[in-house]
Amino acid sequence: MATRAVAAVLAIMALSWSAPAQAQPKCTTKDGWHVALTEDVLDQAGRYVAQGDKAAFAALIKSGRLRAMKGGVPVYLEPGGRFGHAAIRLPGLTTPVWTLTEALSCAR
């Protein structure tokens, strides 16, 4: 009887530990926008655009901390961020990048 109880517990544990179904990204990127390595870099880029400082904006791109993104790329929306900002993650990667919420098209 104890053997059956142990087997039942192990079966329940195995079922509860099974991998969840792979969720599909619900957002895609829009063309003509940029992604930043951190939310602070995204803020910096926004200030440079508002100030009209194209040289400083280009310096962020040259440093690799800001990159142009292609449109139509499926991404996961990660939690967090200030109003108007979105942390996004490409499928299969573990590190998010930052963009503006208006740079995304998300299914609801």
Side-chain angles (χ1 to χ4, degrees), residues 12-21:
I12 290 170
M13 289 172 61
L15 288 173
S16 66
W17 288 340
S18 63

Side-chain angles (χ1 to χ4, degrees), residues 16 47 61 70 81 90 98 103:
S16 66
R47 277 195 310 277
I61 293 172
K70 295 179 183 179
L90 291 165
W98 292 87

Side-chain angles (χ1 to χ4, degrees), residues 38-40 42 76-89 96-101 104:
T38 67
E39 194 171 16
D40 288 337
L42 185 63
Y76 292 103
L77 192 58
E78 295 288 313
R82 296 186 278 277
F83 181 77
H85 292 184
I88 58 173
R89 186 178 56 77
V97 291
W98 292 87
T99 193
L100 298 175
T101 55
L104 302 172

Side-chain angles (χ1 to χ4, degrees), residues 36-37 41 44 48 55-67:
L37 291 180
V41 171
Q44 258 185 307
Y48 298 157
F57 190 84
L60 282 179
I61 293 172
K62 186 175 181 181
S63 73
R65 296 183 297 157
L66 185 71
R67 302 191 81 174

Side-chain angles (χ1 to χ4, degrees), residues 17-38:
W17 288 340
S18 63
Q22 181 70 27
Q24 295 300 313
K26 291 186 170 49
C27 295
T28 55
T29 59
K30 293 180 184 176
D31 202 27
W33 293 87
H34 290 79
V35 294
L37 291 180
T38 67

